[in-house]
Amino acid sequence: MRAGIPQGGKISPVLYSLYVNDIPKTHKTLLGMYADDTAILAKNKNHKYTAAALNQHLAKLDDWFLKWKIALNVNKTEAVYFAKGRRKYKPIVKIKTKRSPGLSKPNILA
């Protein structure tokens, strides 16, 4: 292990909390964290605004990942778009210049 927190250790939850304490936040999005999962939420009537807010936050997170040597598995990262009615628009969300795949049935821990 070159960077990160050892799994299964007694002090690991505390170390993890300290490790992610400075994770970037923005006033345009809401950041929700549970265990090692993170969700970024944006809400607006204008779908272009939500896509821009998400992409700005993801760009800040990408810089943070580089700073702390965190490897993001883009293949396990997904974007979910919720809308009233049957809207066909899906915002373009980019992570490390790759589009995040859409998702038909999200696997969200609650």
Side-chain angles (χ1 to χ4, degrees):
M1 179 175 74
R2 293 184 186 157
I5 298 168
Q7 290 184 339
K10 292 181 180 179
I11 196 166
S12 292
V14 174
L15 291 174
Y16 181 78
S17 294
L18 293 171
Y19 197 67
V20 299
N21 187 45
D22 68 338
I23 193 167
K25 297 175 180 94
T26 69
H27 67 280
K28 296 178 184 177
T29 57
L30 177 66
L31 192 67
M33 298 174 68
Y34 178 78
D36 63 347
D37 292 325
T38 303
I40 305 169
L41 309 168
K43 177 182 173 182
N44 196 287
K45 291 179 182 180
N46 184 338
H47 57 267
K48 291 179 183 178
Y49 177 87
T50 56
L54 290 172
N55 284 317
Q56 287 171 3
H57 197 156
L58 288 168
K60 286 185 178 187
L61 283 174
D62 195 30
D63 293 338
W64 185 79
F65 294 146
L66 289 172
K67 175 183 176 183
W68 293 110
K69 299 178 183 167
I70 297 174
L72 177 67
N73 188 342
V74 179
N75 295 326
K76 289 186 176 181
T77 304
E78 305 197 29
V80 182
Y81 180 64
F82 298 98
K84 291 183 182 179
R86 293 183 173 223
R87 296 186 182 165
K88 294 181 181 180
Y89 179 80
K90 291 185 181 178
I92 296 171
V93 180
K94 294 182 180 180
I95 303 167
K96 294 185 177 182
T97 67
K98 291 184 179 180
R99 285 187 182 190
S100 180
L103 180 65
S104 57
K105 293 183 180 178
N107 183 15
I108 300 172
L109 298 173

